[in-house]
């Protein structure tokens, strides 16, 4: 049985700590709430629906960069 790698990253966005974990789905937690989706931007949009498209894009990029930085090489 193969193991699926779990990736996790936390960033602060607009004074809110946002944690994204990728296993099979993206699971995002912020401000005491959580959401899951196949794609990171979908999970963020469900969790923080009041963000503008630019804010959503910025947060998505920040989390992806942080996730990449956390991966072992």
């Amino acid at each position: 049985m193969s193991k699926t790698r779990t990736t996790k990253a936390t960033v602060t966005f607009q004074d809110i700590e946002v944690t994204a974990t990728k296993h099979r789905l993206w699971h995002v937690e912020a401000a005491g709430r959580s959401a899951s989706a196949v794609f990171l931007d979908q999970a963020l949009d469900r969790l923080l629906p009041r963000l503008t498209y630019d804010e959503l894009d910025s947060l998505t990029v920040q989390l992806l960069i942080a996730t990449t930085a956390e991966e072992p090489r």
Side-chain angles (χ1 to χ4, degrees):
M1 186 179 264
S2 65
K3 248 184 166 178
T4 304
R5 183 173 43 176
T6 300
T7 304
K8 183 176 183 176
T10 301
V11 300
T12 300
F13 184 79
Q14 297 181 353
D15 296 327
I16 300 172
E17 190 172 275
V18 181
T19 301
T21 307
K22 171 72 168 136
H23 186 60
R24 293 176 192 245
L25 296 175
W26 281 100
H27 181 78
V28 182
E29 298 177 2
R33 299 175 52 206
S34 65
S36 296
V38 174
F39 299 104
L40 178 57
D41 61 334
Q42 290 175 335
L44 290 170
D45 189 44
R46 290 178 185 165
L47 182 63
L48 303 165
R50 294 183 181 165
L51 292 180
T52 65
Y53 289 120
D54 288 340
E55 291 169 331
L56 180 62
D57 288 348
S58 176
L59 178 54
T60 301
V61 168
Q62 286 180 37
L63 283 165
L64 289 173
I65 289 170
T67 300
T68 303
E70 294 292 322
E71 289 181 3
R73 304 210 179 227

